Amino acid sequence: MATHTQKIIILDFGSQTTQLIARRIREQKVYSEIHPYTLPLEQLQAMQPSGIILSGGPASVYDADAPLSDPGLFELGLPVLGICYGAQLMTHQLGGTVERAEKREFGKAELRIEKAEPIFSGLAAAPALHQVWMSHGDRIATPAPGFVVSATSAHSPAAALQHMDKPFFAVQFHPEVAHTTIGIDVLRNFIFNLCDCVPNWTISSFIDSTIASIRTQVGDGQVLCALSGGVDSSVTAALVHRAIGEQLTCIHVNNGLMRSGESDAVIRFFRGQSTFHLIDVDATDFFLERLKGITEPEEKRKRIGYGFIEIFEQEAKKLGEVSYLAQGTLYPDVIESVVFRGKAPIKSHHNVGGLPERMHLALIEPLRELFKDEVRLLGLELGLPREAVFRQPFPGPGLGIRIMGEITAQRLHVLRQADVIVLEEMKASGWYDKVWQSFAVLLPIQTVGVMGDGRTYEHVIALRAVDSRDAMTADWSQLPYELLGRISNRIISEVRGVNRVVYDISSKPPATIEWE
């Protein structure tokens, strides 16, 4: 992992927009990391943050099982910004009171700034009103000792607070969301004016620091890289190759869950466009046997992940002395795999969670700190072709998590045919580059239909297309009816065994982008 001399640490208390806080800070060219609120104080200190942000969350501070931070963080002498639940937590832990609000605030609200300096520096004070986004059922009733109110709203007499002597600030609204028109101003004031950060975290600086980190970690060792041909693995391979050159061997595993012709295309591209040492392994039968009879989504993901590890282990032995495995783990993968307050993660990711102890390979995950759009910028900076960098995301488990229920060769054949049609029509219409992701899903049900005056009872294909920036949140894409109609007609006409096509109009959250 690359090191950063300046960073803002965000302690996560379960808000759905915590990731947006990190994004907004990085957009200001300042590095930020998200950690669970349970992060031990000594680890927090060791990170040497420039400032700390306490995120929002769904709990109430007066609940018996309310998530609480280590109160010692307020003794570190660092600037602290509490947002929504984080603001209430700061009040609660420093001696103020929080109570259930008579009138809750959800959505747009008008903020009246009473004291501009320093968190609202540059913004007009009273009587000016500013639109903010609220999402809370509790309110700060009595500020903690030493705090004064710096802004109010119709139902929050303490919509923002600041300590008179210490660099502690609390805002009831969410500065990270676009609906808060002054949100960027608030975050900029915190990170630059109060935390004294310098806007020097760029993709170029990330490349330099990461290359140095990889060289230090690897030394003269040998590295394997799992190369699927997707954006994440391609950028990982390019970055590691720039760092250590011929010490890198890339392995492409055809797990039988790839799109039609995709494995052959990946091999042709990388052997024709690069100097990577590339080994290709056809493990179709191996994976299908491992997945036989398995229908539970998490179990499928795990078997696919462990299957990759077994293949890499076998190939590593053939190569002799290999010490490291490089893979394209991204920050959203890490975040979604975290267990929060004892609850199950959103989903397990095949490339998160380390390696079996028997596999004596250390992990290199150079993209672990990045969001998807940052990875794309990195790919361009490394000289990868635009068509490779901006291809739509394809999940590591492949079509295995786009087939609901058991994975079989026959069901894979049906889905591959439908998938080809979706991609052909999306590209022909110009919509492929307009959406974040578009794909077909094979459902575990069959429905009655009529074809050629005869009754059918066949498969259902669901279409999914979403708009997103970083895969942490997503809205369903409003594709033209004509395009949806063409895709549906072609699938039903050309893919034997399908008689119905439906369109998924759910957003993330509450749904996820992939179906499993």
mmCIF file of all heavy atoms in Angstrom, residues 6 22 30 54 59 74 82 141 149 154 164 259 280 305 347-348 369 375 400 433 451 496:
data_model
loop_
_atom_site.group_PDB
_atom_site.id
_atom_site.type_symbol
_atom_site.label_atom_id
_atom_site.label_comp_id
_atom_site.label_asym_id
_atom_site.label_seq_id
_atom_site.Cartn_x
_atom_site.Cartn_y
_atom_site.Cartn_z
ATOM 1 N N GLN A 6 -0.172 13.219 4.041
ATOM 2 C CA GLN A 6 -1.357 13.903 4.546
ATOM 3 C C GLN A 6 -2.567 13.026 4.295
ATOM 4 O O GLN A 6 -2.708 12.450 3.223
ATOM 5 C CB GLN A 6 -1.562 15.238 3.834
ATOM 6 C CG GLN A 6 -0.540 16.300 4.189
ATOM 7 C CD GLN A 6 -0.890 17.625 3.535
ATOM 8 O OE1 GLN A 6 -1.388 17.663 2.418
ATOM 9 N NE2 GLN A 6 -0.637 18.718 4.233
ATOM 10 N N ALA A 22 -15.449 10.571 1.503
ATOM 11 C CA ALA A 22 -14.101 10.282 1.010
ATOM 12 C C ALA A 22 -13.916 10.791 -0.408
ATOM 13 O O ALA A 22 -12.868 11.368 -0.756
ATOM 14 C CB ALA A 22 -13.834 8.779 1.079
ATOM 15 N N VAL A 30 -6.877 15.814 -1.830
ATOM 16 C CA VAL A 30 -6.390 15.451 -0.506
ATOM 17 C C VAL A 30 -6.779 13.999 -0.266
ATOM 18 O O VAL A 30 -7.931 13.610 -0.505
ATOM 19 C CB VAL A 30 -6.984 16.353 0.593
ATOM 20 C CG1 VAL A 30 -6.588 15.853 1.984
ATOM 21 C CG2 VAL A 30 -6.523 17.794 0.403
ATOM 22 N N LEU A 54 -16.215 12.214 11.622
ATOM 23 C CA LEU A 54 -17.143 11.216 12.148
ATOM 24 C C LEU A 54 -18.369 11.220 11.248
ATOM 25 O O LEU A 54 -19.048 12.231 11.112
ATOM 26 C CB LEU A 54 -17.536 11.557 13.593
ATOM 27 C CG LEU A 54 -16.384 11.878 14.557
ATOM 28 C CD1 LEU A 54 -16.939 12.267 15.928
ATOM 29 C CD2 LEU A 54 -15.438 10.699 14.665
ATOM 30 N N ALA A 59 -28.163 5.043 13.842
ATOM 31 C CA ALA A 59 -28.451 4.828 15.257
ATOM 32 C C ALA A 59 -28.784 6.138 15.978
ATOM 33 O O ALA A 59 -28.671 7.232 15.420
ATOM 34 C CB ALA A 59 -27.253 4.155 15.929
ATOM 35 N N PHE A 74 -10.661 12.748 20.977
ATOM 36 C CA PHE A 74 -10.814 14.182 21.214
ATOM 37 C C PHE A 74 -9.650 14.756 22.016
ATOM 38 O O PHE A 74 -9.591 15.951 22.276
ATOM 39 C CB PHE A 74 -12.134 14.453 21.951
ATOM 40 C CG PHE A 74 -13.354 14.059 21.160
ATOM 41 C CD1 PHE A 74 -14.120 12.952 21.538
ATOM 42 C CD2 PHE A 74 -13.739 14.766 20.034
ATOM 43 C CE1 PHE A 74 -15.243 12.581 20.818
ATOM 44 C CE2 PHE A 74 -14.858 14.399 19.295
ATOM 45 C CZ PHE A 74 -15.607 13.306 19.685
ATOM 46 N N GLY A 82 -17.827 16.372 12.977
ATOM 47 C CA GLY A 82 -18.903 15.405 13.110
ATOM 48 C C GLY A 82 -20.033 15.740 12.150
ATOM 49 O O GLY A 82 -20.461 16.894 12.069
ATOM 50 N N ALA A 141 -29.989 18.953 21.677
ATOM 51 C CA ALA A 141 -30.803 19.796 22.561
ATOM 52 C C ALA A 141 -29.948 20.791 23.329
ATOM 53 O O ALA A 141 -30.287 21.980 23.424
ATOM 54 C CB ALA A 141 -31.596 18.920 23.536
ATOM 55 N N VAL A 149 -23.410 27.628 18.999
ATOM 56 C CA VAL A 149 -24.163 27.368 17.769
ATOM 57 C C VAL A 149 -23.661 28.290 16.663
ATOM 58 O O VAL A 149 -23.535 29.499 16.853
ATOM 59 C CB VAL A 149 -25.671 27.588 18.005
ATOM 60 C CG1 VAL A 149 -26.436 27.477 16.691
ATOM 61 C CG2 VAL A 149 -26.193 26.573 19.018
ATOM 62 N N ALA A 154 -34.963 25.309 10.552
ATOM 63 C CA ALA A 154 -36.324 25.424 11.089
ATOM 64 C C ALA A 154 -36.559 24.476 12.256
ATOM 65 O O ALA A 154 -37.236 24.830 13.229
ATOM 66 C CB ALA A 154 -37.338 25.169 9.980
ATOM 67 N N MET A 164 -15.206 26.701 21.079
ATOM 68 C CA MET A 164 -14.592 28.021 21.132
ATOM 69 C C MET A 164 -13.068 27.953 21.195
ATOM 70 O O MET A 164 -12.376 28.877 20.744
ATOM 71 C CB MET A 164 -15.125 28.803 22.339
ATOM 72 C CG MET A 164 -16.599 29.147 22.241
ATOM 73 S SD MET A 164 -16.965 30.225 20.821
ATOM 74 C CE MET A 164 -16.133 31.734 21.337
ATOM 75 N N ARG A 259 -17.550 -13.956 -20.799
ATOM 76 C CA ARG A 259 -18.450 -13.676 -21.916
ATOM 77 C C ARG A 259 -17.983 -14.407 -23.171
ATOM 78 O O ARG A 259 -16.871 -14.916 -23.244
ATOM 79 C CB ARG A 259 -18.476 -12.168 -22.182
ATOM 80 C CG ARG A 259 -19.284 -11.396 -21.163
ATOM 81 C CD ARG A 259 -19.094 -9.920 -21.330
ATOM 82 N NE ARG A 259 -20.198 -9.173 -20.737
ATOM 83 C CZ ARG A 259 -20.135 -7.913 -20.357
ATOM 84 N NH1 ARG A 259 -19.007 -7.244 -20.489
ATOM 85 N NH2 ARG A 259 -21.183 -7.311 -19.836
ATOM 86 N N ASP A 280 -1.828 -18.487 -20.125
ATOM 87 C CA ASP A 280 -3.288 -18.657 -20.106
ATOM 88 C C ASP A 280 -3.638 -20.090 -19.705
ATOM 89 O O ASP A 280 -2.987 -21.048 -20.130
ATOM 90 C CB ASP A 280 -3.911 -18.305 -21.457
ATOM 91 C CG ASP A 280 -3.459 -19.210 -22.576
ATOM 92 O OD1 ASP A 280 -2.278 -19.106 -22.989
ATOM 93 O OD2 ASP A 280 -4.271 -20.016 -23.050
ATOM 94 N N GLY A 305 -13.769 -17.765 -5.872
ATOM 95 C CA GLY A 305 -12.560 -17.143 -5.335
ATOM 96 C C GLY A 305 -11.505 -18.154 -4.944
ATOM 97 O O GLY A 305 -10.323 -18.020 -5.298
ATOM 98 N N LYS A 347 -21.696 -7.921 0.624
ATOM 99 C CA LYS A 347 -21.412 -9.152 -0.111
ATOM 100 C C LYS A 347 -19.921 -9.398 -0.005
ATOM 101 O O LYS A 347 -19.128 -8.474 0.161
ATOM 102 C CB LYS A 347 -21.836 -9.046 -1.581
ATOM 103 C CG LYS A 347 -21.200 -7.880 -2.338
ATOM 104 C CD LYS A 347 -21.834 -7.728 -3.701
ATOM 105 C CE LYS A 347 -21.289 -6.497 -4.434
ATOM 106 N NZ LYS A 347 -21.956 -6.247 -5.695
ATOM 107 N N SER A 348 -19.516 -10.643 -0.089
ATOM 108 C CA SER A 348 -18.094 -10.935 -0.067
ATOM 109 C C SER A 348 -17.559 -10.758 -1.480
ATOM 110 O O SER A 348 -18.252 -11.019 -2.459
ATOM 111 C CB SER A 348 -17.843 -12.363 0.415
ATOM 112 O OG SER A 348 -18.390 -13.300 -0.484
ATOM 113 N N GLU A 369 -6.805 1.403 -2.589
ATOM 114 C CA GLU A 369 -7.202 2.694 -2.048
ATOM 115 C C GLU A 369 -8.067 3.496 -3.017
ATOM 116 O O GLU A 369 -8.476 4.613 -2.695
ATOM 117 C CB GLU A 369 -5.950 3.510 -1.717
ATOM 118 C CG GLU A 369 -5.007 2.815 -0.740
ATOM 119 C CD GLU A 369 -3.653 3.502 -0.660
ATOM 120 O OE1 GLU A 369 -3.383 4.353 -1.534
ATOM 121 O OE2 GLU A 369 -2.890 3.217 0.262
ATOM 122 N N VAL A 375 -9.368 4.635 -10.917
ATOM 123 C CA VAL A 375 -8.621 3.579 -11.604
ATOM 124 C C VAL A 375 -8.587 3.855 -13.107
ATOM 125 O O VAL A 375 -7.559 3.639 -13.771
ATOM 126 C CB VAL A 375 -9.246 2.198 -11.318
ATOM 127 C CG1 VAL A 375 -8.585 1.116 -12.170
ATOM 128 C CG2 VAL A 375 -9.102 1.853 -9.843
ATOM 129 N N GLY A 400 -21.029 -16.144 -13.388
ATOM 130 C CA GLY A 400 -21.466 -16.978 -12.273
ATOM 131 C C GLY A 400 -22.411 -16.266 -11.330
ATOM 132 O O GLY A 400 -23.239 -16.897 -10.674
ATOM 133 N N ASP A 433 -21.531 3.693 -23.970
ATOM 134 C CA ASP A 433 -20.628 4.636 -23.307
ATOM 135 C C ASP A 433 -21.352 5.640 -22.429
ATOM 136 O O ASP A 433 -20.714 6.428 -21.728
ATOM 137 C CB ASP A 433 -19.807 5.386 -24.357
ATOM 138 C CG ASP A 433 -18.856 4.462 -25.099
ATOM 139 O OD1 ASP A 433 -18.302 3.555 -24.454
ATOM 140 O OD2 ASP A 433 -18.676 4.644 -26.321
ATOM 141 N N MET A 451 -45.367 -19.342 -28.613
ATOM 142 C CA MET A 451 -44.496 -19.200 -29.777
ATOM 143 C C MET A 451 -44.999 -20.131 -30.866
ATOM 144 O O MET A 451 -45.161 -21.323 -30.629
ATOM 145 C CB MET A 451 -43.044 -19.537 -29.434
ATOM 146 C CG MET A 451 -42.339 -18.516 -28.546
ATOM 147 S SD MET A 451 -40.607 -18.950 -28.277
ATOM 148 C CE MET A 451 -40.046 -17.535 -27.330
ATOM 149 N N ARG A 496 -32.618 -19.557 -28.049
ATOM 150 C CA ARG A 496 -33.526 -20.676 -27.823
ATOM 151 C C ARG A 496 -33.635 -20.975 -26.323
ATOM 152 O O ARG A 496 -32.630 -21.088 -25.631
ATOM 153 C CB ARG A 496 -33.034 -21.912 -28.566
ATOM 154 C CG ARG A 496 -34.015 -23.088 -28.547
ATOM 155 C CD ARG A 496 -33.528 -24.213 -29.432
ATOM 156 N NE ARG A 496 -33.456 -23.810 -30.829
ATOM 157 C CZ ARG A 496 -34.492 -23.817 -31.674
ATOM 158 N NH1 ARG A 496 -35.683 -24.208 -31.232
ATOM 159 N NH2 ARG A 496 -34.341 -23.445 -32.925
#
